Amino acid sequence: MNQPVSCLPVTANKMSKAKKVLDEARESKNREIDLVDRGISTFDELPGLLSFVFVTRITLSHNKLKSVPPGIANLINLEILNLSNNHIDDLPLSLSSMPKLRILNCSINRLDTLPRGFGAFPVLEVLDLSYNNLNEKALPGNFFMMDSLRALYLGDNEFEYLPPEIKNLKNLQILGLRDNDLLELPREIGELTRIRELHIQNNRLAVLPPEVANLDMPGPKSVLKMEENPWVTPIAEQYLVGISHVLEYIKTEAYRILYNRHASNSKSAGNVPPKSDKSKKASRARS
């Protein structure tokens, strides 16, 4: 027997399901709301959501959202907000005033700037901005004042440099910088003494600051990923043997001389490796 064919378009089906989720949450005071892949393009399609002050987690990944309303800050008990894989090109400053927000995932969007004052989050622990169009000029002045931050993911963006102020993230344990255009790392990165994971693969790095050796990286629970960079020959050779050999080598006087020479030569920028082609990134698409 043939199944009856629904006359509702797929998007309408998804929309009605989204409304059902919200209605049920309103009735039961459900603190976790899952709206993954519902074809949502605006918060207007989520009536009442911004008044759900009882909610602690909202997942809106894999939708078509282009913006987030300032009223999101009304959700004073929200701890986890997942906005990944949308079309968002702008975030409201009010996000950073949310008193209980611990985890914010804005990965795989179209951000090329962040609001001024964005670093004012009082208790944020995990911030994922990977796979956007951000660079060092997009970061507001107080970005590195989030001293509660434990994990910062900036991979798949367009950073060429990192501000020295990164040293202020004293509690940072995970720093993701893979797949950028980084030409160097600031020496101040050696002051992040709690770092246990550093991902710098697939950049344009030729040398490491000697201060990286100050980090407790060769331990069994630590991760240092640094492949696919145009390293100077001595680092490349040590990396073939193992990360611990790299860290021992960059402590040597011979390496300090090499590093200082490279730093002064790079000022002339004669042989800078080309940027990678990111024109086909999802974050570059325009609908």
Side-chain angles (χ1 to χ4, degrees), residues 149-160:
L149 210 58
R150 293 186 297 107
L152 175 60
Y153 300 97
L154 295 173
D156 269 302
N157 277 284
E158 298 173 17
F159 289 91
E160 292 192 57

Side-chain angles (χ1 to χ4, degrees), residues 111-125:
L111 298 170
D112 55 18
T113 186
L114 296 173
R116 190 174 178 182
F118 185 76
F121 293 93
V123 297
L124 196 67
E125 296 177 16

Side-chain angles (χ1 to χ4, degrees), residues 8-23 34-47 60 63-65:
L8 285 172
V10 174
T11 51
N13 280 330
K14 288 184 176 180
M15 284 293 300
S16 61
K17 288 179 182 175
K19 185 177 184 302
K20 184 181 178 185
V21 169
L22 293 180
D23 288 344
D34 183 347
L35 292 165
V36 176
D37 192 19
R38 301 297 170 98
I40 302 163
S41 57
T42 168
F43 273 73
D44 292 340
E45 299 166 21
L46 304 170
L60 279 161
N63 282 291
K64 299 175 182 177
L65 292 168

Side-chain angles (χ1 to χ4, degrees), residues 217-244:
M217 293 304 298
K221 294 184 178 179
S222 62
V223 176
L224 174 55
K225 296 277 192 179
M226 51 183 282
E227 61 268 19
E228 296 182 76
N229 279 286
W231 299 114
V232 293
T233 301
I235 288 184
E237 290 175 346
Q238 296 298 329
Y239 186 56
L240 289 174
V241 187
I243 290 292
S244 59

Side-chain angles (χ1 to χ4, degrees), residues 11-282:
T11 51
N13 280 330
K14 288 184 176 180
M15 284 293 300
S16 61
K17 288 179 182 175
K19 185 177 184 302
K20 184 181 178 185
V21 169
L22 293 180
D23 288 344
E24 289 176 353
R26 188 184 290 108
E27 289 285 324
S28 64
K29 292 289 188 285
N30 188 358
R31 303 202 310 164
E32 300 189 357
I33 294 181
D34 183 347
L35 292 165
V36 176
D37 192 19
R38 301 297 170 98
I40 302 163
S41 57
T42 168
F43 273 73
D44 292 340
E45 299 166 21
L46 304 170
L49 176 62
L50 299 183
S51 65
F52 289 9
V53 292
F54 50 87
V55 169
T56 59
R57 178 202 290 256
I58 295 177
T59 304
L60 279 161
S61 56
H62 296 271
N63 282 291
K64 299 175 182 177
L65 292 168
K66 293 183 178 179
S67 63
V68 180
I72 193 79
N74 295 338
L75 304 177
I76 55 173
N77 288 300
L78 195 65
E79 298 178 17
I80 301 171
L81 178 58
N82 187 341
L83 298 167
S84 66
N85 214 327
N86 276 278
H87 302 166
I88 298 168
D89 57 17
D90 193 23
L91 292 172
L93 173 57
S94 61
L95 259 182
S96 57
S97 67
M98 298 179 75
K100 295 186 179 180
L101 193 63
R102 296 184 296 105
I103 300 174
L104 176 60
N105 187 344
C106 295
S107 64
I108 318 178
N109 274 288
R110 300 176 182 178
L111 298 170
D112 55 18
T113 186
L114 296 173
R116 190 174 178 182
F118 185 76
F121 293 93
V123 297
L124 196 67
E125 296 177 16
V126 178
L127 177 58
D128 192 343
L129 293 168
S130 55
Y131 220 97
N132 279 283
N133 301 318
L134 298 168
N135 60 33
E136 55 274 12
K137 295 173 185 172
L139 303 181
N142 69 341
F143 186 82
F144 295 106
M145 294 175 68
M146 296 180 277
D147 55 10
S148 57
L149 210 58
R150 293 186 297 107
L152 175 60
Y153 300 97
L154 295 173
D156 269 302
N157 277 284
E158 298 173 17
F159 289 91
E160 292 192 57
Y161 300 94
L162 270 187
E165 287 79 15
I166 195 164
K167 67 182 181 182
N168 296 328
L169 301 179
K170 297 295 186 187
N171 289 302
L172 203 63
Q173 296 173 26
I174 301 172
L175 178 56
L177 298 167
R178 60 173 177 73
D179 295 291
N180 273 282
D181 292 312
L182 288 169
L183 289 164
E184 62 182 52
L185 295 176
R187 302 186 78 140
E188 289 79 3
I189 208 163
E191 297 182 40
L192 299 176
T193 54
R194 297 195 174 186
I195 282 281
R196 293 296 173 268
E197 286 190 34
L198 179 58
H199 299 264
I200 54 175
Q201 61 268 46
N202 199 18
N203 277 283
R204 297 190 285 168
L205 300 168
V207 293
L208 284 170
E211 289 78 6
V212 167
N214 299 338
L215 304 177
D216 185 21
M217 293 304 298
K221 294 184 178 179
S222 62
V223 176
L224 174 55
K225 296 277 192 179
M226 51 183 282
E227 61 268 19
E228 296 182 76
N229 279 286
W231 299 114
V232 293
T233 301
I235 288 184
E237 290 175 346
Q238 296 298 329
Y239 186 56
L240 289 174
V241 187
I243 290 292
S244 59
H245 292 265
V246 173
L247 297 174
E248 284 302 314
Y249 170 64
I250 65 175
K251 292 177 183 177
T252 65
E253 184 60 28
Y255 178 71
R256 288 182 180 274
I257 294 170
L258 183 155
Y259 177 82
N260 290 333
R261 186 186 304 130
H262 187 275
S264 58
N265 288 345
S266 65
K267 298 289 189 290
S268 58
N271 54 349
V272 176
K275 290 185 178 183
S276 56
D277 179 16
K278 299 182 180 179
S279 60
K280 293 183 172 62
K281 278 178 64 176

